[in-house]
Amino acid sequence: MEAATRYDDEEIRNQIDTIPVTGDGRLDAEPLFVLVENILKHTAPILDTFLLGTQAPMGKIEDMNTSASFSSPLCTLKQISCMMDYKALGVINAHETTLSILHMLSHYSWGARAVMTLAAFALDFGEFWILMRIHSSNQLANSLAFLKGLLVLAEPPGLQKHKQALAELVNLNKATLEVIRCIFELQKLPNYGTENVPALSKTLDHVPVDVYWVVRTVVGCSAQMTRVTNDEDQSVDLSSLAHNLDSILNNLKKQLNICKQQIEETETEAYQTLRNLFQIHPKIVEVFKALCYGKSNLQPLIDVSNKFNEVNFDVVLKHKYVLLLISGPDMSDNDLRTLKQLHREIGNRGKIVWVPLIVGQTRIDMERMFRNRSSEVPMYLVQQFLHILPGIKFIKEEWHFRNEPIVVVINPKVRVEHWISLQQIKGIDSFPCFRKKNIDVIVDGICRCACQCLCVHRERTNV
């Protein structure tokens, strides 16, 4: 195999910059990563079983908590596997194979490309080890192993011959998983702009090169596995790839720590800004900016009752009572009925704005759930999920949010009047700002009597 250092990062970057990146591939990569991790994690005990001649326990398989909407990209994984097989057969070199795979996956994010390539390898690698584990006691597995040419490894001498190569594969799998995990963690960090978190944009900019080396390493592992299963004497030298991947992992971990430190400093400042904001006379748009967007750019509101069109904050909310509904998507039907009643009783005096809270769930599923639930009540929807820590910390400390839906009332002067649990709301009377004072009741009574008298007078005049 050609040396992994034949191309430096700058040359690689120049080549992968020519790869189109559409980014419209719909794949929730993290559940796939969990599946791949479980497959690769449980290959090591089987390897020990054969090399040591003992019956090593498989261990407990953790709850993967895979989303019900997750769909395995099996056809794509098989395509990737075939491309790596071409490399193993010597048709094209590792660099060209890597670029071909990245081209084929151009409509997926960089993190998704890395995990899909590793998943393609794990599919074959896991199948190999499960067949080696049970083929001697299962006729079906024995036939499959024979068809795949794996029986040569069933005897201890065959496995001992490839002991180092197999152990190297297991270690490279672990390192590759860790690199992908770091990339995912980087991509989930809140982006507060280059001026606030300069390390993040710099590290993310280098991710395509890191993903190239992940894919390149997997291609090398695939070639090694082909030689092992064919019981070839000459193995693939993966030492340079292992060294390179180790350097990438160490750098990613270092940059992650720097990014987290810069983010913590930014969020501390943002939280203090949010607390101070209500001590002055802010505009309503400033409240939403600080609470939901932090250092990110403000996006328009979504008008749920008008085909989810975008609307301007000031146009809709200026000089109005604003009822902030803060919750996740898991509201009960009773909660929705309460909101519908509240909307009718408030009328034109106030607007309900849903501030979605997202903690620990996948964005694709959550976005779908929020859209479905919000369409049931006439309201406005903030486009940005409330996931930034300053905003979450603020609603917990200042408004005592405890994972149950709450409504926070902000008056036309942009002052928080009070907050209340959605479950405690009993119509409009639960809000002091909307209760009619005694004088208002008297005035209303006089107005009604005057209207009635006027109607009687008109009737008599017409007669």
Side-chain angles (χ1 to χ4, degrees), residues 14-199:
N14 290 336
Q15 293 188 56
I16 63 179
D17 278 347
T18 64
I19 300 175
V21 182
T22 60
D24 57 357
R26 297 291 287 180
L27 174 74
D28 196 350
E30 292 196 43
L32 180 61
F33 177 82
V34 174
L35 286 169
V36 172
E37 185 178 29
N38 271 277
I39 291 171
L40 297 179
K41 184 192 302 182
H42 290 89
T43 58
I46 303 177
L47 175 60
D48 293 338
T49 296
F50 281 90
L51 295 181
L52 302 177
T54 60
Q55 188 65 29
M58 282 291 290
K60 181 182 178 182
I61 298 179
E62 292 80 2
D63 179 13
M64 294 180 293
N65 195 29
T66 304
S67 169
S69 63
F70 173 75
S71 177
S72 172
L74 184 60
C75 290
T76 305
L77 300 186
K78 288 183 176 180
Q79 285 181 284
I80 297 171
S81 183
C82 287
M83 295 177 78
M84 291 192 292
D85 285 342
Y86 286 144
K87 158 57 195 164
L89 294 172
V91 178
I92 50 178
N93 66 38
H95 176 68
E96 290 173 348
T97 303
T98 302
L99 291 179
S100 296
I101 292 172
L102 293 175
H103 268 282
M104 187 183 75
L105 302 176
S106 62
H107 53 295
Y108 293 98
S109 70
W110 286 103
R113 296 184 214 191
V115 73
M116 289 176 77
T117 306
L118 186 58
F121 173 77
L123 202 60
D124 296 329
F125 195 63
E127 181 186 52
F128 168 80
W129 283 112
I130 199 66
L131 287 175
M132 295 311 301
R133 181 179 176 87
I134 66 173
H135 83 278
S136 60
S137 59
N138 185 292
Q139 185 57 48
L140 174 60
N142 184 67
S143 298
L144 286 172
F146 186 80
L147 186 63
K148 288 177 170 288
L150 306 181
L151 287 181
V152 67
L153 298 181
E155 299 299 325
L159 284 172
Q160 291 295 335
K161 174 181 175 182
H162 301 285
K163 176 180 178 180
Q164 182 177 351
L166 290 170
E168 189 176 33
L169 282 175
V170 170
N171 290 332
L172 268 175
N173 289 338
K174 291 178 181 178
T176 305
L177 282 168
E178 286 304 306
V179 170
I180 297 174
R181 195 193 312 277
C182 286
I183 291 173
F184 281 169
E185 191 172 352
L186 270 171
Q187 293 177 334
K188 288 192 294 185
L189 291 176
N191 193 341
Y192 296 128
T194 305
E195 67 279 8
N196 298 298
V197 191

Side-chain angles (χ1 to χ4, degrees), residues 230-249:
N230 290 338
D231 199 26
E232 298 180 16
D233 293 329
Q234 185 179 5
S235 62
V236 179
D237 181 13
L238 300 178
S239 59
S240 57
L241 286 172
H243 175 74
N244 193 52
L245 205 63
D246 188 55
S247 297
I248 290 173
L249 181 58

Side-chain angles (χ1 to χ4, degrees), residues 145-325:
F146 186 80
L147 186 63
K148 288 177 170 288
L150 306 181
L151 287 181
V152 67
L153 298 181
E155 299 299 325
L159 284 172
Q160 291 295 335
K161 174 181 175 182
H162 301 285
K163 176 180 178 180
Q164 182 177 351
L166 290 170
E168 189 176 33
L169 282 175
V170 170
N171 290 332
L172 268 175
N173 289 338
K174 291 178 181 178
T176 305
L177 282 168
E178 286 304 306
V179 170
I180 297 174
R181 195 193 312 277
C182 286
I183 291 173
F184 281 169
E185 191 172 352
L186 270 171
Q187 293 177 334
K188 288 192 294 185
L189 291 176
N191 193 341
Y192 296 128
T194 305
E195 67 279 8
N196 298 298
V197 191
L200 182 58
S201 57
K202 179 181 178 182
T203 307
L204 287 174
D205 186 58
H206 199 266
V207 162
V209 177
D210 296 336
V211 170
Y212 166 89
W213 285 113
V214 167
V215 175
R216 177 78 174 269
T217 301
V218 176
V219 169
C221 289
S222 178
Q224 182 78 295
M225 196 61 199
T226 299
R227 296 196 180 189
V228 168
T229 55
N230 290 338
D231 199 26
E232 298 180 16
D233 293 329
Q234 185 179 5
S235 62
V236 179
D237 181 13
L238 300 178
S239 59
S240 57
L241 286 172
H243 175 74
N244 193 52
L245 205 63
D246 188 55
S247 297
I248 290 173
L249 181 58
N250 289 334
N251 182 64
L252 281 173
K253 288 181 176 179
K254 177 183 176 182
Q255 292 303 314
L256 262 173
N257 288 331
I258 295 174
C259 290
K260 288 178 180 178
Q261 181 179 354
Q262 293 177 352
I263 287 170
E264 183 179 359
E265 293 171 356
T266 301
E267 289 179 337
T268 299
E269 180 184 348
Y271 176 72
Q272 194 57 48
T273 299
L274 190 54
R275 290 197 64 186
N276 295 339
L277 191 62
F278 288 100
Q279 307 303 318
I280 58 176
H281 295 279
K283 297 179 180 178
I284 190 64
V285 68
E286 293 174 337
V287 172
F288 281 97
K289 174 73 169 63
L291 182 66
C292 304
Y293 295 89
K295 299 288 184 176
S296 304
N297 293 328
L298 182 72
Q299 300 177 46
L301 279 173
I302 296 294
D303 187 351
V304 174
S305 60
N306 188 20
K307 300 180 180 179
F308 288 89
N309 288 330
E310 294 184 349
V311 292
N312 185 279
F313 275 89
D314 281 334
V315 171
V316 174
L317 305 180
K318 193 173 183 180
H319 305 312
K320 299 281 186 182
Y321 277 95
V322 178
L323 279 66
L324 294 184
L325 169 63

Side-chain angles (χ1 to χ4, degrees), residues 332-343:
S332 67
D333 291 337
N334 188 54
D335 290 336
L336 292 173
R337 283 193 292 270
T338 299
L339 289 170
K340 288 178 182 178
Q341 178 187 353
L342 196 56
H343 175 265

